[in-house]
Amino acid sequence: MSLPSHTDQNGKVGLDSGAARLKELGYKQELKRDLSVFSNFAFSFSIISVLTGITTLYNTGLSFGGPVSLQYGWFIAGGFTMAVGLAMAEICSSFPTSGGLYYWSAKLAGPQWAPFASWLTGWFNIVGQWAVTTSVDFSLAQLIQVIILLSTGGKNGGGYEASKYIVIGMHGGILFLHAILNSLPISVLSFFGQLAAVWNLVGVIVLTILIPCVATERASAKFVFTYYNTNNGDGISSKPYIFVLGLLMSQYTLTGYDASAHMTEETKSADKNGPRGIISAIGISVIFGWFYILGITFAVTNIPYLLSEDNDAGGYAIAEIFYQAFKNRYGSGAGGIVCLGVVAIAIFFCGMSSVTSNSRMAYAFSRDGAMPFSSLWHKVNKQEVPINAVWLGAFISFCMALTYLGSTVAFQAMVSIATIGLYIAYALPIFFRVTLASKSFTPGPFNLGRYGVLVGWIAVLWVLTISILFSLPVAYPITNETLNYTPVAVGGLLFLTVSSWIFSARHWFKGPITNVDS
């Protein structure tokens, strides 16, 4: 299955090892292979974006467990996420294609199961990626709304609160900008990707140091490391249950690193640098994410007030922390608003990279004829960019966000696919690698050796665990407004994917199709 890089007898590299492997797998080099290992890492790192995930879901962490859940839940999720990443990196090294997960499933499931395995993985992956783009850009629109609110006086000072229609309009505008950026050549996009990585790293360091230093009141070390918040207002008193629900912030943040796999056809020596991109993005995110959580939590002194919709930020905890830190010390919250701007730019870069990743997935999936009007989404322009796939992803992500106009519950159900749906797509090829292909799998340059199967099983069991845990009710009593619709959303996607396979796709979809003459 996996072949070594092409070298001559003197050890000199001829054809790029990633390009050579792609040809061996049966695909033409149609995208421009111009990304370095840092650029590949940058795309995954900017999608994980600890500034994005932690800022957006810090309320969840505070509500369910508080500091204990934030601190220790982060490392639990981070450790198991690294196991998932290592297992994916090993497979990526053997199959460095833009298709990534769905291609891996096809090759690892064997000839009999390849088409169905590829179909199931591919649709969970692409829908999960569209949901990620939806949630990221919508969270940016919401943060901009909070910045406007605080800039005009805050909720208690007559500040302007945008309607849900204005928020949706901002969401559409952000997606439009991301589609334009992703229509540019990959060399330009690579620059923005590297800038995004640096922005996230520097932003975390600055905010981690600045906010607790500016705050006039700081939490004690005992509070930051041992306080367990059970007062969530949602009728849940079980401490283990609360801790589990608090894990969502960490696990939601640590997603999107499959971008390194989807960018492999544009990465030099992708059989080595693709895996490096995945692992380094997770590892550095875990370290810097913890510093960010630590710094922000030292500025937390009143959890109920931070979560109250009656505070100046309307209940947006981190925004209130930033705003009050500067207001209490300098009499003005302007510095806090600037800090929120730093986070907003990080989220913008996160959404940009998310569109890049999902467009490459759509390009590869349509290359194999799996999507309606596949020839349209597979088209590459003169700059070697899958332009139609870029705009398709932006359009679908906008449509997914429209559910917010009808019901916030429906919107949350849609966004839940971003975590669970995407992790199911991560787990499927790993599952096939440790079962059907446990003896036949031939690793690439990066491999886990004899620990590959063990790490793979840990990854699969973790995904199974979080799929169950994040489907549990998040509030009691259970009503239409408090019901956790995650199992409904993910189950609905599973039903549609399997049904379409049974009634249609099994007759014509044969899995990945080579486009290089043998």
Side-chain angles (χ1 to χ4, degrees):
M1 295 170 73
S2 177
L3 299 175
S5 303
H6 284 223
T7 57
D8 60 23
Q9 292 181 343
N10 295 320
K12 295 181 179 179
V13 177
L15 184 64
D16 176 274
S17 60
R21 181 61 182 140
L22 183 68
K23 186 175 181 180
E24 291 162 359
L25 295 173
Y27 289 115
K28 298 176 183 178
Q29 182 67 52
E30 297 179 308
L31 302 176
K32 189 173 183 180
R33 193 174 289 274
D34 201 35
L35 298 181
S36 64
V37 62
F38 181 74
S39 296
N40 182 283
F41 149 81
F43 279 107
S44 280
F45 183 70
S46 58
I47 291 179
I48 293 175
S49 180
V50 294
L51 286 177
T52 299
I54 294 173
T55 301
T56 303
L57 286 185
Y58 193 76
N59 281 49
T60 300
L62 277 185
S63 298
F64 298 106
V68 166
S69 179
L70 290 166
Q71 300 288 348
Y72 306 110
W74 179 258
F75 281 112
I76 290 172
F80 283 109
T81 297
M82 180 58 79
V84 177
L86 285 168
M88 288 173 59
E90 183 180 53
I91 303 173
C92 178
S93 182
S94 185
F95 307 115
T97 74
S98 290
L101 310 173
Y102 87 89
Y103 183 91
W104 304 348
S105 286
K107 291 298 180 182
L108 296 169
Q112 182 178 356
W113 290 101
F116 177 65
S118 179
W119 177 264
L120 186 65
T121 305
W123 278 109
F124 264 89
N125 193 192
I126 189 63
V127 174
Q129 287 206 352
W130 286 331
V132 166
T133 304
T134 302
S135 64
V136 169
D137 281 8
F138 192 81
S139 69
L140 177 55
Q142 288 181 313
L143 180 57
I144 292 174
Q145 185 268 324
V146 172
I147 290 174
I148 294 172
L149 173 63
L150 293 173
S151 299
T152 53
K155 190 167 184 177
N156 297 315
Y160 173 74
E161 291 187 76
S163 69
K164 60 183 179 181
Y165 298 99
I166 297 296
V167 174
I168 283 290
M170 288 191 289
H171 172 71
I174 294 165
L175 280 167
F176 183 75
L177 288 175
H178 285 155
I180 290 177
L181 286 173
N182 275 277
S183 300
L184 301 174
I186 189 62
S187 56
V188 178
L189 211 56
S190 173
F191 167 76
F192 282 116
Q194 293 179 48
L195 177 62
V198 173
W199 186 274
N200 271 276
L201 289 171
V202 175
V204 166
I205 294 171
V206 170
L207 294 176
T208 298
I209 297 172
L210 182 63
I211 298 304
C213 287
V214 170
T216 55
E217 294 182 63
R218 284 182 287 275
S220 66
K222 181 179 179 181
F223 174 86
V224 171
F225 291 103
T226 66
Y227 181 72
Y228 200 90
N229 180 37
T230 57
N231 183 23
N232 49 71
D234 290 310
I236 299 174
S237 58
S238 168
K239 287 188 175 182
Y241 197 172
I242 289 171
F243 186 83
V244 163
L245 295 178
L247 281 175
L248 179 60
M249 181 207 75
S250 302
Q251 201 61 70
Y252 170 80
T253 301
L254 298 171
T255 56
Y257 43 88
D258 57 314
S260 287
H262 296 302
M263 303 303 294
T264 50
E265 289 187 34
E266 296 160 271
T267 301
K268 300 171 184 175
S269 302
D271 52 344
K272 306 179 190 71
N273 291 336
R276 289 171 181 163
I278 293 172
I279 296 166
S280 57
I282 296 171
I284 294 175
S285 293
V286 169
I287 294 169
F288 278 78
W290 181 69
F291 283 129
Y292 184 53
I293 291 171
L294 192 63
I296 300 306
T297 307
F298 265 109
V300 172
T301 56
N302 189 337
I303 292 177
Y305 178 72
L306 291 176
L307 297 174
S308 172
E309 294 183 1
D310 295 326
N311 65 35
D312 281 318
Y316 200 120
I318 281 189
E320 185 67 18
I321 292 170
F322 289 4
Y323 186 72
Q324 288 299 329
F326 281 86
K327 188 176 181 179
N328 291 340
R329 182 171 290 276
Y330 302 111
S332 168
I337 295 172
V338 172
C339 290
L340 290 175
V342 172
V343 176
I345 293 173
I347 299 176
F348 181 84
F349 282 137
C350 177
M352 178 200 73
S353 297
S354 182
V355 172
T356 306
S357 181
N358 72 49
S359 65
R360 270 53 180 184
M361 170 60 198
Y363 157 81
F365 208 30
S366 59
R367 176 173 60 187
D368 294 320
M371 298 177 65
F373 310 107
S374 283
S375 61
L376 185 62
W377 316 129
H378 177 234
K379 190 170 294 184
V380 176
N381 66 8
K382 293 180 180 179
Q383 284 76 40
E384 298 177 306
V385 173
I387 188 73
N388 294 337
V390 166
W391 288 90
L392 172 69
F395 175 73
I396 291 180
S397 295
F398 178 70
C399 291
M400 293 176 86
L402 292 177
T403 54
Y404 177 73
L405 298 178
S407 166
T408 55
V409 173
F411 175 73
Q412 289 302 323
M414 191 71 68
V415 172
S416 66
I417 299 174
T419 302
I420 302 302
L422 206 53
Y423 264 94
I424 290 174
Y426 292 176
L428 284 171
I430 300 173
F431 175 73
F432 296 133
R433 182 259 183 271
V434 298
T435 54
L436 299 176
S438 61
K439 296 181 179 179
S440 60
F441 176 70
T442 305
F446 174 86
N447 65 85
L448 302 176
R450 60 181 179 176
Y451 298 106
V453 173
L454 174 62
V455 172
W457 273 116
I458 292 173
V460 170
L461 292 174
W462 176 245
V463 173
L464 178 62
T465 300
I466 61 173
S467 298
I468 295 171
L469 296 181
F470 295 160
S471 296
L472 298 173
V474 295
Y476 290 92
I478 300 173
T479 65
N480 289 337
E481 289 298 317
T482 61
L483 179 65
N484 185 352
Y485 282 86
T486 297
V488 178
V490 176
L493 176 58
L494 178 63
F495 175 78
L496 290 174
T497 304
V498 174
S499 295
S500 61
W501 171 259
I502 293 172
F503 294 107
S504 177
R506 67 188 178 92
H507 299 296
W508 51 266
F509 182 68
K510 306 303 179 185
I513 303 170
T514 60
N515 62 6
V516 172
D517 295 334
S518 57

